[in-house]
Amino acid sequence: MGFIGIICVIIMTVTLISIESKTKRLIQEQAETNRKLELLLRKERFADQKGEA
């Protein structure tokens, strides 16, 4: 593998690391959104239960 091959491997590695970090961030943001939605649903269900009682 020549110099150009080494450069290609480095570029691919950096690209994969970048994609991985962005994916992790998106997963964390989605998890936070899911937690917020779950809290809203719980509050809504609680309010519905209080209204029925």
Side-chain angles (χ1 to χ4, degrees), residues 5-47:
I6 293 171
I7 296 298
C8 287
V9 168
I10 291 171
I11 290 171
M12 288 187 291
T13 303
V14 169
T15 302
L16 286 173
I17 291 170
S18 173
I19 290 170
E20 183 183 14
S21 66
K22 288 178 184 177
T23 303
K24 283 182 180 178
R25 189 178 68 236
L26 286 172
I27 290 170
Q28 290 171 347
E29 289 174 2
Q30 187 64 49
E32 182 64 29
T33 300
N34 289 346
R35 281 191 290 273
K36 289 177 182 177
L37 286 172
E38 184 62 34
L39 284 173
L40 285 172
L41 283 171
R42 287 181 185 173
K43 287 178 183 177
E44 198 172 285
R45 289 180 190 150
F46 183 73

Side-chain angles (χ1 to χ4, degrees), residues 44-53:
E44 198 172 285
R45 289 180 190 150
F46 183 73
D48 287 347
Q49 288 175 354
K50 284 180 81 175
E52 293 172 0

